Amino acid sequence: MPIEVLMPALSPTMETGKLAKWLKAEGDKVKSGDVLAEIETDKATMEVEAVDEGILGKILIKDGTEDVAVNTPIALLLEDGEDASAAPAPKKPEKADDTEKPEDKEKSEDTAAEQRAEENAPPVEPEKGPAPDTAPSAVAAPPKPSIEPDPEVPEGTEMVRQTVREALRDAMAEEMRRDGDIFLMGEEVAEYQGAYKVSQGLLDEFGAKRVIDTPITEHGFAGIAIGAALAGLRPIVEFMTWNFGMQAMDQIINSAAKTLYMSGGQMGCPIVFRGPNGAAARVAAQHSQDYAAWYSQVPGLKVVAPYTAADFKGLLKAAIRDPNPVIFLENEILYGQHFEVPKLDDFVLPIGKARIARSGTDVTIVSFSIGMTYALKAAEELAGQGINAEVIDLRTIRPMDVDTIIESVKKTNRCVTVEEGWPQSGVGSEIASQLMEKAFDHLDAPVLRVTGKDVPMPYAANLEKLALPSVAEVIDAVKAVTYR
Amino acid sequence: MAASAAKAKSAKPVSAAAGISNTFSEFTKDEDFTALREMLKIRRFEEKAGQLYGMGLIGGFCHLYIGQEAVVVGVQMAQNDGDQVVTSYRDHGHMLATGMDANGVMAELTGRSGGYSRGKGGSMHMFSREKAFFGGHGIVGAQVPIGTGLAFANKYRGDGQVALTYFGDGAANQGQVYESFNMAKLWKLPVVYIIENNRYGMGTAAHRVSATTDFSQRGRSFDIPGEQVDGMDVRAVRAAALRAIEHARSGEGPYIIEMQTYRYRGHSMSDPAKYRAKEEVQKMRDERDPIEQVRKRLLDNGWSTEEELNQIDKDIRATVNASAEFATNDPEPDVSELWTDVYL
């Protein structure tokens, strides 16, 4: 059977081309790899190579023919002893609507630009082959994760007063005792005992094999930890602060978050990235950034940002056990704060469940991490003024427990969000959108966001204070939505 | 296809900065046949992939390995089962060499449900836990820390495995590569860095963007030994890989082998390759082709005949054609696949 040589598509966007020149003549012997012809596309002159061996039997499209559609037979290749006349009549040049042809392709202006974008930004894939039977809208709803509520703390359980720092250390130590595949790596985590003393004592207990000081190369060691996680270990990566973790963002997003999907479910990446997030005090713009909203946009990541020591402990243990990459956001100012932590052998909390920190009826205040300090203080003061606020501590930013927020808003009909991060596309913006889409009829006032100001963090003490949210701003927002 | 180190009779460690390494032992008849079959399988597969791309069955980006076959096949002949492989987006050859099924690879290229990633990864993102192939990475250089991390896991577990981490001359200028070199040497990780120097990072010749072009010496600041290897000669590749893998497996830490190779096709399918002369490509094809070298040896040694070699080629074409057939007729992933594999 003669083999049809087809007009090839030589770029993701090519529809037609000019058959500029045949470099082989009828009767020539060709082997795979030989250049048969030159084709001019809208961007460049490209060569058509033979894939099969044989004799160029018949040229179907002559030199200089313009606008030859992709997949049109341009020549027949014969096996030894075959006759071109034995060939079936070639199909007519195919039209753009032929099913074998790429559809809906857009013309690209510029080969160079397209190629520059190549590794980083693959284009939207033009649809190939038969169209799916079902329209995409039929599967528009992602499955909802089912998340168990917090475990019951048995009555009479002893409560221990602990700092957030101690709770984090205990969480890591308990998990590392349980599973030898868990290790901690980061800058100053071992011999220095942690830049913020979170890993105090871990080197002594677990040794240098499992508590590992790294060079100051976040991109590199995050990637190494991801490789170890793909191989089945369970790394905890401490970033001295999340500001430095930004160096590792490509590895976190492109390698840790996406590999499970890109591998069709083969390559899980059980890893925790943790460290202090957001503003500390007087450390200025480069060391004072909240990454909650950034990472919460990425499918494949879980993002946890607790407030109390008990939540830090229970959620860090959950993060370490989770088979997915978890972004665990701590806060330097919270490290030294004391909270009650239940004394239990194995206190693990569910990722993805918000906590009602204070019950109320007049307004719902939603916050997380250090934002909770403003929210709770404001609620306290508002109570004195006769406004009974419900305060929700999100604890997990992704997956977000929207149901708990909606249930609360059904009761209060008003919502104020509080976060230290920037306003645009922030966590509060997401909550406002969710409420608009799912609880619009329950809202008696617009959702208001109290956020960090839309500026890099200033150094001067007075300006820094202004750049952060304040209790007064939360109170003002609550009064605005309750029309007081 | 793993070979024991004992086979490399004349292999000698080559000191750093020794220049191109030509220390290798001749292949046995069986080894030459193995090399021919494996390289030819990659060549024919890639030619077919190029054709399917031309027919619009493969979309997006498609980077062909034609010309570089001796590198991955030679290294594969030196490694053990269980040793991990990780590479860039020019990855089809590596997958076939690790023993991944041609149907599954081709069906991933066409975005079908029978692909290794069930159609969700494409040409640049394919994996096989079974074959210890860890991708397929689309970000230049990102696979280098990951490969180093695979080696970290090997050392942590003490399982004696080596992580074979491939990257190109372009990636060799990436910062994360040097961060990885530092930690690999510091922690004596069992990793072999295989730099596939095919002379061009996309359309830019290496010397135009690299202050030094002896990539084997890029580990010098970290005291990582390295050597340049004729990457068109599968015997030289295997010999160097045996040295490097032995070094890494013995606990001495990382080793760099710079494979001097050449890709015949453009960077990707949409690259007209105007940055180099046609004569340069033709000269390589005519004088240095890795497959032709083996063919010639098999004939010159009287180990095979034209007829037998043609039959081998025919058989491989049949396998590759079958994979194309499979990849064309296999259904697209079920629409429910959109939502799966985001979380475990």
Side-chain angles (χ1 to χ4, degrees):
Chain A
M1 270 287 287
I3 298 163
E4 284 182 349
V5 179
L6 304 179
M7 180 73 170
L10 296 168
S11 80
T13 52
M14 174 175 162
E15 287 179 0
T16 63
K18 175 182 176 184
L19 208 165
K21 192 170 153 199
W22 279 100
L23 300 174
K24 297 276 179 189
E26 288 181 1
D28 281 359
K29 213 172 155 68
V30 297
K31 59 182 194 331
S32 53
D34 284 355
V35 179
L36 296 177
E38 282 180 359
I39 285 175
E40 284 172 19
T41 71
D42 50 340
K43 289 173 251 171
T45 300
M46 309 275 288
E47 291 169 344
V48 184
E49 291 181 10
V51 180
D52 302 289
E53 279 185 337
I55 292 157
L56 192 61
K58 195 167 176 54
I59 288 174
L60 305 172
I61 305 285
K62 301 288 173 223
D63 286 28
T65 310
E66 305 258 9
D67 291 329
V68 182
V70 165
N71 276 341
T72 307
I74 56 175
L76 293 177
L77 206 58
L78 309 174
E79 284 185 48
D80 277 342
E82 249 181 0
D83 186 348
S85 61
K91 280 184 267 175
K92 286 194 43 123
E94 296 173 19
K95 292 278 187 289
D97 60 0
D98 192 288
T99 50
E100 277 209 346
K101 237 191 65 56
E103 293 168 14
D104 303 320
K105 290 191 164 187
E106 281 175 33
K107 288 217 168 159
S108 165
E109 295 299 319
D110 169 5
T111 304
E114 173 200 315
Q115 290 185 354
R116 267 199 303 279
E118 182 149 336
E119 259 63 65
N120 297 325
V124 174
E125 181 79 356
E127 195 175 288
K128 299 283 179 7
D133 296 336
T134 322
S137 59
V139 287
K144 226 172 159 177
S146 76
I147 297 162
E148 295 291 311
D150 283 22
E152 289 276 330
V153 175
E155 209 160 315
T157 300
E158 188 191 339
M159 299 301 277
V160 184
R161 200 167 151 75
Q162 262 197 328
T163 61
V164 166
R165 175 181 287 118
E166 290 161 345
L168 289 168
R169 182 205 53 209
D170 286 357
M172 287 192 283
E174 286 176 22
E175 292 304 297
M176 288 175 78
R177 279 174 212 135
R178 188 182 56 77
D179 182 352
D181 281 346
I182 300 168
F183 65 93
L184 171 68
M185 70 173 3
E187 294 153 13
E188 310 287 12
V189 298
E191 296 200 1
Y192 194 89
Q193 305 289 325
Y196 296 99
K197 297 289 177 279
V198 172
S199 56
Q200 189 136 33
L202 295 182
L203 175 65
D204 289 346
E205 181 174 354
F206 299 103
K209 184 189 168 190
R210 297 180 64 194
V211 183
I212 303 155
D213 280 326
T214 64
I216 309 170
T217 53
E218 286 81 6
H219 195 188
F221 71 72
I224 286 176
I226 290 164
L230 293 174
L233 297 183
R234 305 186 79 92
I236 305 169
V237 174
E238 175 174 311
F239 292 125
M240 191 182 287
T241 85
W242 274 98
N243 301 289
F244 314 146
M246 194 151 64
Q247 295 250 1
M249 211 164 213
D250 171 64
Q251 286 288 356
I252 293 171
I253 293 170
N254 272 316
S255 302
K258 297 180 185 171
T259 297
L260 181 68
Y261 196 83
M262 297 191 301
S263 66
Q266 288 182 75
M267 295 279 167
C269 189
I271 191 168
V272 177
F273 298 99
R274 50 155 290 269
N277 173 58
R282 306 294 308 282
V283 290
Q286 291 182 338
H287 288 68
S288 307
Q289 189 168 330
D290 178 0
Y291 290 89
W294 285 48
Y295 287 108
S296 80
Q297 229 226 341
V298 183
L301 294 180
K302 294 186 179 182
V303 182
V304 180
Y307 165 60
T308 70
D311 286 348
F312 270 113
K313 183 175 183 186
L315 286 165
L316 183 53
K317 282 167 70 82
I320 293 168
R321 291 181 192 190
D322 201 286
N324 301 289
V326 179
I327 304 292
F328 197 86
L329 304 173
E330 301 161 9
N331 185 280
E332 190 190 331
I333 291 167
L334 292 179
Y335 278 152
Q337 295 195 10
H338 287 83
F339 295 86
E340 301 285 308
V341 180
K343 191 176 178 184
L344 292 170
D345 287 343
D346 199 19
F347 179 63
V348 185
L349 291 171
I351 291 175
K353 272 280 175 217
R355 180 177 61 91
I356 300 192
R358 180 190 173 109
S359 291
T361 50
D362 297 336
V363 61
T364 302
I365 304 176
V366 187
S367 190
F368 58 93
S369 186
I370 196 169
M372 284 297 293
T373 56
Y374 309 105
L376 289 172
K377 275 185 197 148
E380 196 72 31
E381 286 191 31
L382 286 162
Q385 300 173 34
I387 299 175
N388 188 7
E390 178 146 299
V391 181
I392 295 177
D393 180 356
L394 276 180
R395 303 195 294 186
T396 300
I397 314 300
R398 181 188 186 94
M400 191 182 281
D401 185 0
V402 177
D403 287 350
T404 294
I405 303 172
I406 289 175
E407 281 313 304
S408 176
V409 167
K410 280 184 181 171
K411 183 170 61 173
T412 63
N413 311 113
R414 295 159 167 85
C415 184
V416 168
T417 66
V418 185
E419 66 190 304
E420 283 197 349
W422 288 312
Q424 180 162 336
S425 310
V427 175
S429 312
E430 173 64 19
I431 292 168
S433 292
Q434 293 275 359
L435 287 174
M436 233 167 7
E437 290 167 10
K438 295 172 184 158
F440 186 76
D441 290 341
H442 294 281
L443 286 171
D444 285 346
V447 177
L448 289 188
R449 297 169 296 162
V450 177
T451 67
K453 305 304 177 293
D454 203 12
V455 295
M457 184 63 75
Y459 169 70
N462 63 330
L463 297 182
E464 183 188 56
K465 201 158 178 247
L466 285 172
L468 289 166
S470 66
V471 174
E473 285 169 352
V474 179
I475 290 172
D476 286 351
V478 166
K479 286 188 172 166
V481 300
T482 52
Y483 306 112
R484 305 274 186 116
Chain B
M1 142 180 181
S4 76
K7 279 184 190 161
K9 291 182 288 275
S10 62
K12 275 190 218 133
V14 175
S15 63
I20 297 216
S21 162
N22 286 311
T23 315
F24 59 80
S25 49
E26 288 296 334
F27 272 13
T28 63
K29 178 180 168 185
D30 281 354
E31 287 165 349
D32 262 336
F33 268 111
T34 299
L36 179 81
R37 284 202 178 88
E38 292 298 316
M39 292 196 289
L40 207 50
K41 184 168 74 182
I42 295 171
R43 171 90 37 114
R44 296 300 175 235
F45 182 94
E46 293 291 63
E47 288 167 351
K48 183 55 77 176
Q51 189 186 30
L52 296 191
Y53 190 94
M55 294 162 73
L57 286 160
I58 297 172
F61 301 121
C62 186
H63 309 85
L64 301 181
Y65 197 62
I66 296 172
Q68 301 181 212
E69 296 92 341
V71 176
V72 75
V73 169
V75 174
Q76 188 73 26
M77 290 176 84
Q79 72 194 61
N80 287 353
D81 285 344
D83 289 343
Q84 303 111 320
V85 175
V86 65
T87 189
S88 71
Y89 42 81
R90 195 178 306 285
D91 54 0
H92 314 159
H94 301 71
M95 294 187 279
L96 295 173
T98 60
M100 287 168 69
D101 174 49
N103 285 10
V105 179
M106 197 67 96
E108 189 60 37
L109 296 183
T110 55
R112 305 304 171 98
S113 60
Y116 266 97
S117 301
R118 297 213 289 275
K120 290 150 84 166
S123 165
M124 300 187 286
H125 312 114
M126 258 183 267
F127 305 78
S128 168
R129 196 168 279 286
E130 187 203 346
K131 301 291 182 191
F133 181 72
F134 284 80
H137 293 269
I139 306 297
V140 173
Q143 75 275 26
V144 180
I146 289 170
T148 310
L150 296 171
F152 178 96
N154 296 343
K155 174 150 191 200
Y156 192 91
R157 291 173 165 145
D159 58 18
Q161 290 173 0
V162 173
L164 299 150
T165 303
Y166 291 81
F167 55 102
D169 49 286
N173 292 325
Q174 270 271 353
Q176 58 187 324
V177 169
Y178 298 92
E179 298 187 16
S180 301
F181 282 0
N182 181 44
M183 284 176 274
K185 182 67 184 189
L186 181 69
W187 297 332
K188 294 218 165 23
L189 301 180
V191 55
V192 174
Y193 297 112
I194 301 147
I195 304 180
E196 298 196 62
N197 177 4
N198 65 17
R199 302 195 195 177
Y200 299 90
M202 206 177 123
T204 303
H207 68 87
R208 295 183 53 226
V209 287
S210 301
T212 60
T213 52
D214 181 349
F215 294 101
S216 72
Q217 298 308 303
R218 288 296 182 95
R220 267 183 112 162
S221 322
F222 311 96
D223 200 23
I224 301 174
E227 54 182 289
Q228 288 184 313
V229 181
D230 176 358
M232 305 301 276
D233 185 337
V234 68
R235 299 167 303 176
V237 171
R238 188 192 65 168
L242 282 168
R243 287 191 289 275
I245 291 170
E246 167 60 21
H247 178 94
R249 211 186 301 282
S250 70
E252 294 295 306
Y255 199 101
I256 296 171
I257 35 183
E258 176 195 339
M259 299 296 178
Q260 301 201 320
T261 184
Y262 199 79
R263 71 168 146 73
Y264 297 171
R265 297 293 191 93
H267 166 71
S268 67
M269 286 302 297
S270 49
D271 171 13
K274 282 182 175 168
Y275 43 83
R276 60 185 184 187
K278 278 182 194 168
E279 293 70 32
E280 179 183 304
V281 184
Q282 200 53 48
K283 196 170 151 65
M284 270 290 181
R285 281 177 182 267
D286 292 345
E287 297 173 7
R288 307 281 309 284
D289 186 79
I291 297 173
E292 278 308 311
Q293 290 185 44
V294 180
R295 266 182 68 92
K296 187 166 181 309
R297 274 204 302 279
L298 284 166
L299 294 172
D300 290 354
N301 286 333
W303 287 341
S304 191
T305 60
E306 282 284 357
E307 293 70 42
E308 187 187 18
L309 296 181
N310 286 344
Q311 189 56 47
I312 289 173
D313 196 0
K314 252 194 170 138
D315 293 346
I316 288 171
R317 280 177 195 275
T319 308
V320 166
N321 286 340
S323 77
E325 190 73 17
F326 174 75
T328 307
N329 296 319
D330 194 43
E332 288 186 311
D334 187 86
V335 288
S336 64
E337 285 283 342
L338 179 65
W339 301 113
T340 58
D341 305 324
V342 180
Y343 294 100
L344 279 170

